[in-house]
Amino acid sequence: MSDKIAVVYIGDKPSKKDTVTGSRLVFPRHTAVDVESHIAMQLLEFPSVWIRHEALAGELERQDVTAQAAADEQARLAAEAALLAEEQSMVVGERDLAKMTSAQLATLVEGEDLDIEPQGPQEKVPEYRVRVRDAMKAKLAEQGE
């Protein structure tokens, strides 16, 4: 009778069927399965899929650290995206400047008494809109202080 080695599947799926050796054994995720040594040696050639049972604790810790780092990175990226969206937003207070024409923007500049130059003859409306937005945000920031 040949020796048995405990092998553990560490992949993402709930279980893995052995298609490498043709044994068709089913390995539940993170559960040790005793297999014959010659089969185990073939499976262990794929260290990102199967490991020895003795290495499971270290692998679980590594997966937890990796998952936490990925979650932290995802949260950081989401925060950056939210900040970028806020910076690029044309909504100031309750006004959506993206829906305003150049004449409406000029009226807003006068009505809010913003200290910016009027729209130049060669200046495109989106560029003017950004200047108005920045001036409105600066004015709101001053009032908030």
Side-chain angles (χ1 to χ4, degrees):
M1 186 167 145
S2 62
D3 294 333
K4 299 253 181 180
I5 298 176
V7 177
V8 179
Y9 167 64
I10 57 169
D12 295 332
K13 297 187 280 186
S15 66
K16 175 75 173 161
K17 189 179 291 185
D18 171 22
T19 56
V20 173
T21 66
S23 70
R24 309 297 284 174
L25 290 169
V26 176
F27 294 82
R29 185 170 190 241
H30 298 162
T31 304
V33 176
D34 289 327
V35 297
E36 294 181 22
S37 61
H38 70 280
I39 293 175
M41 290 302 130
Q42 285 181 304
L43 295 175
L44 293 173
E45 289 179 12
F46 302 93
S48 62
V49 182
W50 286 285
I51 60 172
R52 289 181 176 262
H53 175 65
E54 298 83 31
L56 181 61
E59 177 63 22
L60 291 176
E61 184 176 324
R62 186 194 67 76
Q63 285 181 355
D64 287 344
V65 168
T66 303
Q68 183 61 43
D72 292 347
E73 180 67 10
Q74 196 73 347
R76 185 188 67 77
L77 290 175
E80 281 182 9
L83 183 62
L84 182 63
E86 175 63 29
E87 287 175 358
Q88 293 178 344
S89 173
M90 286 293 163
V91 177
V92 180
E94 296 181 8
R95 294 185 175 106
D96 187 359
L97 303 182
K99 295 180 180 178
M100 293 185 171
T101 64
S102 60
Q104 290 171 323
L105 289 169
T107 303
L108 178 66
V109 168
E110 288 295 319
E112 292 291 329
D113 197 29
L114 298 177
D115 188 29
I116 62 172
E117 294 291 319
Q119 181 180 8
Q122 299 298 317
E123 185 178 21
K124 305 278 186 224
V125 175
E127 296 165 358
Y128 183 53
R129 188 174 288 127
V130 169
R131 287 195 307 121
V132 172
R133 177 199 64 195
D134 293 344
M136 290 281 295
K137 285 185 177 182
K139 182 178 177 182
L140 288 175
E142 284 178 14
Q143 292 174 351
E145 291 179 356

